[in-house]
Amino acid sequence: MDKDKVIFFDCYQTLLDVQLPKSDEDEGRGWEEFVRLLGQNHGIKIGADEFVALVEKRKADFYSSHNKLIQHHNLRTLVADVLEKDVQYPLKEDEILWLIYEYRKIERGYVHLYPKIASTLALLANEYTLAIASYTQSCFTQFELRELEIEKYFSHFVYSSDVVFRKESPEFYRECLRLVQKSPESCLMVGDNYREDIVIPASLGIHTIWIKNPAARYKNPDPIVEVRYSLDLADFDKLPQIIGQIF
């Protein structure tokens, strides 16, 4: 057992399978449900198109002072600002999170674990400190990890929406190291995206394992340099053996 070693995991296309590509129709139906619940639970009468336009305006304001290529907005913050400042009806955070997740469940289509994920995480959690490091909205992913019953295996959660930086930026991984208060040599990143999950953390001295997912081929060019440790997604249960070679 070596709880001083931290293993960071990407979420989507590494642990969780979600519907791709996303459907504009599903997203629209998601916002329709969001505003329906606003009206039902709080008496707020606003159309989905109007609410989305307000959210998009808040998002544009955010990116007017942030670099969209390496930074990331927080949807929960945008929605809270729309409700408080535009609609003039502030809600408590837990209510906002619930509403957003009701939207998300429709917008995302399906979500489920890949085979062998839960059992492998359970095994690793007994030996190492596990953490999530994902380009996502925390108000989506935290609930999905809970829904799929794997949240319990993780001690730390790093989401791009919360640290402001996307995984394309080394600052994202510096935030990961700061959160767990470990050296790069004591940490390992596991993910399916060659550049975001392998090249960038490795540039900071973080160990890496590339999960080869056929569904993620579209975002992975041929590696420029040889990847020392990699694993086919279908063989995820072999991950502990590879980690043992590193640590």
Side-chain angles (χ1 to χ4, degrees):
M1 181 181 299
D2 194 348
K3 289 289 189 174
D4 286 335
K5 305 298 186 185
V6 180
I7 305 173
F8 290 98
F9 286 88
D10 172 56
C11 279
Y12 302 103
Q13 276 68 65
T14 298
L15 305 177
L16 278 60
D17 184 18
V18 291
Q19 180 176 311
L20 291 173
K22 297 293 178 66
S23 161
D24 289 340
E25 181 179 341
D26 287 342
E27 183 172 7
R29 290 193 303 107
W31 284 118
E32 289 285 353
E33 177 65 4
F34 182 100
V35 298
R36 185 191 73 79
L37 292 169
L38 269 183
Q40 174 183 290
N41 297 345
H42 303 283
I44 300 172
K45 303 300 181 184
I46 186 170
D49 289 346
E50 182 182 356
F51 193 88
V52 171
L54 291 171
V55 171
E56 289 299 317
K57 173 64 168 59
R58 293 282 171 184
K59 188 190 298 185
D61 289 346
F62 174 86
Y63 286 115
S64 68
S65 59
H66 293 78
N67 185 340
K68 196 170 187 178
L69 295 177
I70 62 170
Q71 294 179 294
H72 198 196
H73 66 279
N74 186 303
L75 181 60
R76 176 190 55 77
T77 300
L78 299 183
V79 169
D81 284 347
V82 167
L83 289 169
E84 179 177 356
K85 300 172 184 178
D86 299 321
V87 180
Q88 304 290 307
Y89 198 107
L91 293 179
K92 293 180 179 179
E93 181 171 318
D94 60 347
E95 179 68 10
I96 294 172
L97 290 173
W98 178 77
L99 286 167
I100 291 175
Y101 196 55
E102 292 303 304
Y103 151 80
R104 168 67 170 175
K105 286 188 289 187
I106 297 173
E107 175 266 349
R108 75 183 179 205
Y110 65 78
V111 61
H112 55 74
L113 293 175
Y114 286 113
K116 307 176 183 178
I117 297 297
S119 58
T120 303
L121 291 176
L123 183 65
L124 290 171
N126 287 327
E127 301 293 328
Y128 306 98
T129 296
L130 306 189
I132 289 291
S134 187
Y135 167 55
T136 186
Q137 293 292 331
S138 58
C139 54
F140 297 164
T141 307
Q142 197 71 39
F143 285 98
E144 287 169 347
L145 294 174
R146 192 172 303 160
E147 180 182 311
L148 295 169
E149 299 184 348
I150 61 170
E151 180 188 41
K152 60 190 176 185
Y153 298 125
F154 298 96
S155 301
H156 305 282
F157 303 87
V158 185
Y159 300 118
S160 55
S161 65
D162 294 350
V163 302
V164 182
F165 290 98
R166 296 164 59 116
K167 291 168 79 174
E168 286 92 334
S169 170
E171 291 302 322
F172 176 90
Y173 288 101
R174 291 191 180 102
E175 285 295 318
C176 290
L177 296 174
R178 182 195 60 76
L179 176 66
V180 300
Q181 298 185 331
K182 299 295 181 184
S183 66
E185 296 78 14
S186 297
C187 297
L188 166 68
M189 179 65 196
V190 179
D192 70 290
N193 189 299
Y194 170 70
R195 173 167 169 74
E196 296 175 13
D197 297 324
I198 307 304
V199 175
I200 294 177
S203 72
L204 298 177
I206 298 171
H207 299 286
T208 62
I209 298 176
W210 186 19
I211 300 298
K212 293 184 176 181
N213 182 348
R217 246 183 228 131
Y218 71 95
K219 59 184 178 182
N220 287 318
D222 291 334
I224 299 171
V225 296
E226 183 180 354
V227 177
R228 184 173 182 184
Y229 297 105
S230 64
L231 183 68
D232 289 339
L233 178 62
D235 296 325
F236 197 86
D237 57 334
K238 297 178 182 176
L239 185 61
Q241 296 150 268
I242 298 179
I243 294 172
Q245 296 175 35
I246 297 173
F247 290 142

